[in-house]
Amino acid sequence: MPTEAVTPLIRGIAVLRELTEADGTLSLSGLERATGLARSTVDRIAATLARMGYVRVDGRDVHLSPHLMELGNAYLAALRLPALLSPHADALADELDESVSLAVADRDGIRFIHQATRRRAMSLSFRIGDLLPAERTAPGPLFATEWTPADWQRWRERRAADPRDLSFTAVPPRTYGADARYDEDFVRRVEEASANGWAVDDQLIEPGLVAISAPIRSPHTDGEAAAHTDGEAAAGEGRIACVASIVSHTSRHTAHHLRTTLLPRLRSAVTEMEEELRRTPPPEPGPPPSNLALWTGESKLRLGRDFIESLARGLTVLTAFGEGRPELTLTEVARATGLARATARRALITYEHLNLVTTRQSRTFTLTPRVLSLGYPPLSRTSLPEIAQPHLADLTSRIHESTSLAVLSDSGEEIQYTARVTTGRVMSVNITVGTRLPAKATAGGRVLLADRTDDRTSQHILASVRSDGYALVDEELEEGLRSLAVPIRDRAGRVVAALSTAMHAPRRSLRECVTDLLPELMSTATHIESDLHTATRFTHVPLT
């Protein structure tokens, strides 16, 4: 470890990785055992990460929070590939009715940056950020065509140290250990991929799973990239930017059928993707995060010893990168975060040691795909009810009333409750998750209907809801029942859900609902929306 590395930052990264490997939740004692750190250190790291909004501590358990995805989002935004190519991958998946993925190389493995999966009884469980060994995939041989001798040596050392792929938790472990014939087969597959320009996975990960892949090449090959490859790129071609794959099951396609039937369409889609990369100009740099150093200082004053400032400041360095900011100098990182150059430099040295950042010959720093190992896989499959649940619990504890999240049915005539937290009272509102109620007679329903421009019923009421930003329904659904709701909006500003509370009318007057409860609901809605917007930047979040 470099002498200038930040030890608390290394420990914090270790905690995040263990939580990721545990699918997002681990007890404090479990983290202590997994990391080998003292319990007091684990407690302080958890408190710091909770203050940053990256984890939630619930009793003795620590849960990853959607806000942590901003670290992976920084890498994906800087990469640009998901934003430019995901629509093409989604369209191909819809056309073929098969799963389509995009993957990038991560040393001697591959890591997914986009998944367009089909909903079937037998479907893929791979997530954005999952890491797979190169030799057990279709993209792997394509990436390996650009490996240097050092890359091949690293791969052989990894195969010897982990013959059953136990370090790759996204795939089933091998039944048997290292096999020289299997490694020779991968070398042969790399040679074939180099000659053919495509590669297949014929049930290498598990029985029944087949895939075919084709490379998407960058429109430009800089001097450093060209020096990295063993061979010469074809005239006019750059290095492999990512690989597109069609993934299916042998009950639908054999590996041979993928080659003869779907490969031509895959190649056509890849051509469209490469054209997208060529014609899209680099984006203007977006605004970097601001006042991060000031915020960490204030947090240290508030939490005292429980807040590890060097960990928090180190993590903010990752957020300096993003759209239009794929490569930054040390000065630019320090300026973006508000950190001293020495502090930013030590953090970057630490990240380079952890393979989260790489240095280019131009003395600039870039994020690596390994940033996605910090919580992204389990969080990329979260749903809106899962995002909202802890916020509902906090709201209920403050207002001492039951709270709910609801969405509009496909017909637009009913709302369906998707999350709920109840409070202990002798007389309470009996609503459970899954309950459906008439939309027009509920506060949540009116909030949702008010956002529908094509709704022509109850225009006066809905216009009032739109202008006020909330709905208050007094004993219309049931005598003695009073409810209040506010909207939950997605990144585009559309209302996708309603946050509501319902109570027995004598407990609070209409005025008290507005003066006491409405600010609390609006504050909670803002927190839910913040998590939702972070989670949906590069992933799809189901509403139910």
Side-chain angles (χ1 to χ4, degrees), residues 26-365:
L26 203 58
S27 67
L28 289 165
S29 57
L31 282 170
E32 179 185 3
R33 291 190 297 271
T35 60
L37 300 173
R39 176 57 183 270
S40 59
T41 301
V42 170
D43 289 344
R44 293 179 65 212
I45 291 173
T48 302
L49 295 175
R51 172 66 177 165
M52 300 185 75
Y54 289 169
V55 305
R56 175 172 52 87
V57 181
D58 184 9
R60 297 180 178 180
D61 292 330
V62 182
H63 310 267
L64 294 179
S65 294
H67 188 58
L68 175 63
M69 295 176 74
E70 73 172 3
L71 303 183
N73 285 348
Y75 164 73
L76 294 174
L79 186 66
R80 294 185 69 206
L81 297 178
L84 294 178
L85 305 184
S86 293
H88 296 276
D90 294 343
L92 181 62
D94 290 339
E95 175 189 340
L96 302 179
D97 194 26
E98 297 289 352
S99 296
V100 174
S101 65
L102 300 175
V104 294
D106 187 348
R107 295 169 74 87
D108 61 349
I110 71 151
R111 203 177 289 272
F112 293 111
I113 59 171
H114 181 71
Q115 289 282 357
T117 57
R118 303 292 89 186
R119 284 195 171 187
R120 298 193 178 99
M122 186 174 295
S123 60
L124 297 178
S125 60
F126 293 136
R127 306 160 299 184
I128 296 176
D130 273 337
L131 178 68
L132 277 63
E135 68 275 7
R136 292 179 67 180
T137 68
L142 292 165
F143 287 122
T145 61
E146 297 182 341
W147 282 2
T148 65
D151 294 327
W152 281 103
Q153 180 61 28
R154 181 168 51 240
W155 172 73
R156 293 188 175 90
E157 291 173 353
R158 188 260 294 167
R159 288 284 294 125
D162 184 19
R164 297 189 58 206
D165 295 337
L166 297 179
S167 59
F168 295 89
T169 56
V171 297
R174 296 179 190 271
T175 304
Y176 305 102
D179 187 334
R181 291 173 300 177
Y182 189 93
D183 291 353
E184 292 170 1
D185 181 67
F186 177 61
V187 174
R188 176 187 58 79
R189 291 175 60 220
V190 173
E191 293 172 349
E192 292 177 349
S194 179
N196 297 331
W198 50 266
V200 295
D201 164 10
D202 191 358
Q203 307 179 74
L204 294 172
I205 293 176
E206 67 176 20
L209 181 66
V210 291
I212 188 162
S213 298
I216 301 166
R217 295 189 178 275
S218 171
H220 305 289
T221 302
D222 59 24
E224 181 176 354
H228 180 74
T229 183
D230 288 336
E232 293 295 331
E237 291 185 342
R239 286 174 52 82
I240 298 175
C242 66
V243 168
S245 304
I246 299 173
V247 188
S248 190
H249 192 268
T250 51
S251 60
R252 295 175 59 83
H253 296 281
T254 64
H256 174 74
H257 194 252
L258 287 178
R259 292 195 300 272
T260 57
T261 305
L262 300 187
L263 178 59
R265 183 62 191 94
L266 174 61
R267 281 179 152 168
S268 175
V270 164
T271 299
E272 295 169 3
M273 294 182 191
E274 290 177 337
E275 177 59 28
E276 183 77 41
L277 295 181
R278 276 192 292 270
R279 69 169 178 255
T280 305
E284 291 295 325
S290 59
N291 298 322
L292 293 176
L294 180 62
W295 179 87
T296 57
E298 292 174 347
S299 298
K300 181 65 175 179
L301 290 175
R302 174 178 292 191
L303 298 182
R305 186 179 181 276
D306 288 336
F307 186 79
I308 307 175
E309 191 171 13
S310 58
L311 168 59
R313 290 189 168 185
L315 289 173
T316 64
V317 165
L318 296 178
T319 65
F321 298 84
E323 186 175 7
R325 303 191 308 276
E327 300 180 24
L328 298 176
T329 65
L330 171 59
T331 300
E332 289 169 335
V333 170
R335 184 185 303 121
T337 57
L339 298 173
R341 277 175 54 91
T343 302
R345 178 174 175 273
R346 292 190 64 199
L348 290 167
I349 289 173
T350 305
Y351 286 134
E352 195 168 12
H353 169 68
L354 297 174
N355 297 316
L356 294 168
V357 163
T358 186
T359 309
R360 293 187 178 272
Q361 291 178 350
S362 56
R363 296 183 180 272
T364 59
F365 299 89

